[in-house]
Structure formats: structure tokens, C-alpha cells
């Protein structure tokens, strides 16, 4: 670091994104992207926007996109906020919506402690059990902001809407931020709670189920007051936070919702097929409702499995955290990609005949 860096940031540990190596071709199952392209309507919208007014700033209020999201979720435009990826919104939440501190699960999205430390927010965690699940009651009556990735960002384990409602009801004077990046792969969304609880803020993304990780588009749904808070922060940092191409892609994706629903169902089916295959090889998997599986085997350490699969051209994610060091996180790709994963894993474990036939 340079001598110019402010002292308060010298000990900051930044978030580590999933690796993006360029040394060879990989089957990339490490960053929870969609294996499928955007819809034809999105591609056409982006091509059409490329030549239109790129010399002018985009609409800072993203009115067309905001209206489309409001219509999709049965809310008013003042209940919708859009920004440059859901991470941008989460950053705002930690910046300004945690005056009494924040609690999140012990095993969850790695950006949460980074944001808390960046903004000097006091934080603590709810412990997880051996299966990496936490008790919802650990977030009731806590006297601080609750942040819940649901499904959880590393495990895929999801809470029911009723459990989130109980958390919100027990914390009426503090926000309950529900990070639903993976909700479209089988979990129950907390969006209906926005109408009932003024402290619930639901954050979603177009990166996963809507196949637009490269476009960087996230949105939040909440009470008009909470959304106004986020807009205040947007206009205090970067009013033009969404470029024209991304706004056009977002509107078109919402118009093509049936395409994305079909892709999400395909990913769910492939996830369950992959789970069966891994369990036939002796793996344990968390009950994931996300577009990934968290898996471990007693026959090989998580770090070794990650390294040996990488040597065979397959990238999965391994975390060095104590609670996760025995596990690997596997993004669900196409059926052919997952067949390759199972085949190479079986070869590494010497169990080529253990994968069930279809």
C-alpha cells in the first residue's frame, strides 16, 4: 500500500472474487454465473441501444426499468431502487442502514464483513451448526440490523417466508435486509413482506437467474422511506449509476420472463441430478435451493479436490475459512458440464462405476 492510504483502511481485508484464469479453457463452476446466455430479446435491446445516444448520460432514475420492476412485483415505482449490481445496494445498506450494528450468519456472503469493516459498523454473527445452518431465532429481537442471504450465499440453505416475517416483526425499529440473489432457484421470496413490514428491504440481482452477470444490475424492493434512503445515497455518490445498455437489457429481460423461468427450472433439475451423482460418490451436500451445491467428501480435503479438478480443467470454489475448508462450492452448469464434473471427480476418487446411469 502507498503512504497516502488513510490509516483507517490499512487493516481492511478486501473481498476476494472468484478466480477468472485465462491460462487455458476451463469448465467454469466457481462463480455462480448462469451457464445460459440472455434471451434474444435482451441481445436485440442491447444492440439497439449501442447506437442510441451513448454520448448522453443515462436516465439517473432509470424510470423505464423501475416501472417494469414495479409492474413485475406488484409494487409502486417508489418501492423500487436499481443500481450497479446488488453489491452496490448492499454497500449502501452497510453504509447507512446499520446505525446500531449488524448481525449476519457466521457462514454467509464474504462481502458482509468487508462492508461492515469498511464503514466501521459493529458486527457479530449468528453461529451455524455442523450442517452449516443457523437458527432463525438468532435474529429475533437483536436491537440491530439483520442481514440475511436467503438462500444463504455459501450453503444454499433457505429460510421460509414465515421465518423472515417473524424476524421482521421482532425487530420493528431496525431494518431486515434480505439478500435474495439466488431466490429464483427454488426458495420462497420475502417480497410479499415488503407490503406488510416497513423494515423489510429485499435485494435481488439480474446476475444469476436472469443471466446478466456481465451487465451489473441489481435492485431493491422496500418501503418508500427505505427506497428514498437508497436514492439519497445514490445521488450523493453516483447519480448515473446504470448505463444505457444495462437499463435496456433489464427492461428486455423482464419482458422475456418466461425464458428465464425455463432456464431456472433447467438449473434446478440439473442441480438435483448432480446432487444424486455426488451422493453416489460418497459426498455430503447441503440442501441447497440456489444455483450451486456445497459438497464435501471424506476421501479428499476440499482444497485438494479443488486443485486436482482445476488441473483437469474444471474450476470449483474452495474457501479457507475454518467452517468451509472441508467443502467445495460447485456452480450448476449445463448438463454436459455437470456430467464432466462427475466423471472427473469419480476418476479422482477411483469410483468410475459409482455414478448412477440415467
Amino acid at each position: 500500500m502507498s503512504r497516502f492510504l488513510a490509516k483507517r483502511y490499512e487493516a481492511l481485508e478486501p473481498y476476494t472474487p472468484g478466480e477468472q484464469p485465462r491460462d487455458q479453457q476451463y469448465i467454469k463452476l466457481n462463480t455462480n454465473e448462469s451457464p445460459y446466455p440472455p434471451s434474444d430479446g435482451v441481445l436485440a435491446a442491447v444492440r439497439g441501444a449501442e447506437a442510441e445516444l451513448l454520448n448522453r448520460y443515462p436516465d439517473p432514475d432509470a424510470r423505464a426499468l423501475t416501472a417494469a420492476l414495479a409492474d413485475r412485483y406488484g409494487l409502486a415505482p417508489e418501492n423500487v431502487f436499481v443500481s450497479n449490481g446488488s453489491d452496490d445496494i448492499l454497500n449502501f445498506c452497510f453504509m447507512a442502514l446499520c446505525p446500531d450494528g449488524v448481525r449476519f450468519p457466521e457462514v454467509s456472503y464474504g462481502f458482509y464483513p468487508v462492508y461492515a469493516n469498511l464503514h466501521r459498523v459493529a458486527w457479530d454473527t449468528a453461529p451455524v451448526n455442523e450442517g452449516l445452518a443457523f437458527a432463525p431465532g438468532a435474529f429475533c429481537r437483536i436491537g440491530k440490523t439483520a442481514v440475511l442471504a436467503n438462500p444463504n450465499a455459501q450453503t444454499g440453505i433457505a429460510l421460509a417466508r414465515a421465518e423472515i416475517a417473524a424476524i421482521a416483526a421482532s425487530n420493528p425499529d431496525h431494518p431486515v435486509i434480505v439478500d435474495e440473489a439466488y431466490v429464483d432457484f427454488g426458495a420462497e421470496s420475502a417480497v410479499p413482506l415488503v407490503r406488510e413490514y416497513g423494515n423489510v428491504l429485499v435485494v435481488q440481482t439480474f446476475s444469476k437467474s436472469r443471466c446478466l452477470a456481465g451487465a451489473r444490475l441489481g435492485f431493491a424492493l422496500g418501503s418508500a422511506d427505505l427506497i428514498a434512503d437508497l436514492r439519497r445515497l445514490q445521488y450523493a455518490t453516483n447519480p448515473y449509476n446504470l448505463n444505457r445498455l444495462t437499463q435496456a437489457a433489464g427492461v428486455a429481460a423482464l419482458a422475456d420472463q418466461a425464458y428465464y423461468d425455463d432456464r431456472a427450472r433447467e438449473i434446478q433439475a440439473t442441480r438435483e441430478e448432480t446432487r444424486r451423482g455426488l451422493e453416489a460418490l460418497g459426498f455430503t451436500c447441503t440442501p441447497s435451493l440456489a444455483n450451486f451445491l456445497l459438497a464435501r467428501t471424506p476421501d479428499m480435503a476440499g482444497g485438494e479436490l479443488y486443485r486436482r479438478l482445476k488441473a483437469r480443467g474444471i474450476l470449483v470454489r474452495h474457501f479457507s475459512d475454518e467452517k468451509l475448508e472441508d467443502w467445495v462450492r460447485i456452480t450448476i452448469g449445463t448438463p454436459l458440464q455437470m456430467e464432466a464434473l462427475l466423471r472427473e471427480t469419480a476418476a479422482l476418487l477411483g469410483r468410475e462405476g459409482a455414478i448412477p446411469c440415467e
Side-chain angles (χ1 to χ4, degrees), residues 332-356:
I332 302 303
T334 65
L336 285 176
Q337 289 174 329
M338 304 320 288
E339 288 172 15
L341 167 81
L342 292 172
R343 183 175 60 250
E344 295 299 330
T345 302
L348 287 174
L349 300 178
R351 295 182 182 171
E352 287 88 340
I355 302 175

Side-chain angles (χ1 to χ4, degrees), residues 74 240 255:
Y240 303 107

Side-chain angles (χ1 to χ4, degrees), residues 154-283:
Q154 309 304 358
T155 67
I157 299 171
L159 298 180
R161 184 186 300 147
E163 292 173 309
I164 296 174
I167 291 169
S170 75
N171 293 293
D173 298 321
H174 293 87
V176 175
I177 298 161
V178 189
D179 180 359
E180 291 190 343
Y182 303 102
V183 75
D184 292 330
F185 300 105
E188 193 175 24
S189 176
V191 169
L193 302 181
V194 166
R195 302 178 187 90
E196 185 175 354
Y197 298 97
N199 60 332
V200 171
L201 184 73
V202 177
V203 182
Q204 292 194 19
T205 179
F206 280 63
S207 293
K208 314 299 182 183
S209 65
R210 292 190 176 100
C211 314
L212 283 172
R216 309 310 303 133
L217 176 55
F219 62 98
L221 308 172
S223 68
D225 289 344
L226 279 173
I227 297 304
D229 293 340
L230 295 176
R231 291 192 194 281
R232 177 184 292 262
L233 294 170
Q234 173 200 348
Y235 273 76
T237 52
N238 179 15
Y240 303 107
N241 61 343
L242 279 182
N243 66 68
R244 288 181 178 274
L245 304 184
T246 294
Q247 291 188 33
V251 172
L254 291 166
D256 288 344
Q257 189 61 47
Y259 170 87
Y260 296 103
D261 290 343
D262 287 344
R263 300 294 80 71
R265 282 190 288 268
E266 287 182 46
I267 288 170
Q268 290 175 69
T270 306
R271 180 188 68 208
E272 297 314 307
E273 291 173 6
T274 305
R275 186 198 308 276
R276 289 192 291 272
L278 289 170
E279 289 175 347
L281 294 172
F283 279 78

Side-chain angles (χ1 to χ4, degrees), residues 46-170:
V46 171
R47 283 193 293 268
E50 283 177 346
E52 180 188 353
L53 297 176
L54 288 184
N55 58 313
R56 303 295 185 186
Y57 285 112
D59 177 5
D61 295 319
R63 283 167 289 187
L65 177 57
T66 297
L69 281 164
D71 183 64
R72 170 76 177 86
Y73 292 99
L75 298 168
E78 56 263 32
N79 299 121
V80 180
F81 176 75
V82 294
S83 199
N84 185 25
S86 58
D87 287 339
D88 202 35
I89 301 170
L90 293 169
N91 182 40
F92 286 160
C93 291
F94 278 82
M95 182 189 301
L97 299 181
C98 304
D100 297 315
V102 62
R103 177 174 295 174
F104 40 83
E106 179 183 13
V107 173
S108 195
Y109 187 25
F111 236 139
Y112 297 159
V114 175
Y115 287 140
N117 291 333
L118 176 65
H119 298 300
R120 297 184 169 186
V121 173
W123 60 277
D124 61 26
T125 60
V128 297
N129 60 26
E130 187 175 342
L132 302 181
F134 60 88
F139 289 89
C140 291
R141 295 175 294 278
I142 59 175
K144 62 185 74 176
T145 298
V147 175
L148 300 161
N150 195 53
N152 200 0
Q154 309 304 358
T155 67
I157 299 171
L159 298 180
R161 184 186 300 147
E163 292 173 309
I164 296 174
I167 291 169
S170 75

